[in-house]
Amino acid sequence: STLTDARMLQIVSLSLIFVAATCTSKGGPSVPLYNAAVPNTLMPMVGIGTGSYCGKGKGNNESYRPLCLNETGAAQMTMDWFNAGGRRIDNAITYTAWKGIAAGILKATDNWTTTPRSEVFITSKTGPPFPLGYNDSIEQWQQIVDAYQTKYIDLLLIHWPSDNSSHSHSSTDPYCASNNTLYS
């Protein structure tokens, strides 16, 4: 028999609760980020990667994505993770339900009033299929911090170079454009 979406959501939620309960950022294992902008930054070793919440675009491995959630479903899964004790979220502006993940954190923390922002470690990413370059990355970063209603992201990564040939890698910065001969 096949699993219904509701049953799959329940199984994933229970798995998240188990993982979060056994290893959270409060007293749980973490690693130092030596080159962080803020000294003594620690990244919890256990977090939730949200890329598998959905993403049926070109180049995605469908077998890797057992559950496709809209923003509401992604928000609920994120709240389940947070309420179980999880404090590290890995998201990207390119993920289908990325705004739902941010909304889930905001709801779980009551817009940062019940849990301080400093107790949640947020990793996010910029880049393809969006334009690359300094100004492009700053604009994407601004969208991310606005969605989380925060002033910073703990770890910001740039998804590039990409092996997905459908991305044009355009940029306002000519040194980052895919047609630059430095990258040929």
Side-chain angles (χ1 to χ4, degrees):
S1 71
T2 61
L3 291 175
T4 64
D5 286 346
R7 182 67 180 139
M8 180 63 83
L9 182 62
Q10 185 181 28
I11 291 168
V12 172
S13 292
L14 290 173
S15 300
L16 295 177
I17 290 167
F18 173 76
V19 170
T22 58
C23 189
T24 65
S25 63
K26 287 187 175 184
S30 59
V31 294
L33 298 180
Y34 294 110
N35 293 321
V38 177
N40 302 315
T41 297
L42 296 175
M43 180 177 73
M45 290 177 75
V46 174
I48 186 168
T50 60
S52 64
Y53 280 2
C54 195
K56 294 188 175 191
K58 294 179 182 176
N60 289 326
N61 179 352
E62 293 299 324
S63 65
Y64 175 71
R65 305 193 185 304
L67 180 65
C68 185
L69 299 174
N70 59 22
E71 288 186 12
T72 303
Q76 184 60 55
M77 292 288 282
T78 303
M79 287 186 295
D80 290 346
W81 169 252
F82 186 86
N83 291 333
R87 293 296 183 269
R88 179 173 150 217
I89 301 289
D90 185 319
N91 197 1
I93 196 169
T94 60
Y95 296 168
T96 302
W98 77 276
K99 288 183 180 178
I101 294 154
I105 286 293
L106 290 172
K107 188 169 183 180
T109 63
D110 197 19
N111 292 321
W112 305 115
T113 60
T114 57
T115 303
R117 168 63 183 89
S118 60
E119 290 185 17
V120 179
F121 193 96
I122 301 171
T123 298
S124 195
K125 302 165 205 81
T126 65
F130 301 113
L132 299 168
Y134 177 81
N135 291 330
D136 305 311
S137 296
I138 295 296
E139 288 173 18
Q140 292 168 48
W141 168 84
Q142 187 64 59
Q143 291 176 47
I144 295 165
V145 295
D146 288 350
Y148 281 99
Q149 297 177 17
T150 186
K151 294 181 180 179
Y152 66 98
I153 297 300
D154 296 285
L155 180 61
L156 184 68
L157 305 173
I158 298 176
H159 267 173
W160 187 69
S162 171
D163 62 355
N164 188 339
S165 61
S166 67
H167 297 155
S168 68
H169 304 302
S170 62
S171 175
T172 58
D173 180 347
Y175 292 104
C176 294
S178 62
N179 61 357
N180 184 317
T181 57
L182 291 173
Y183 302 111
S184 299

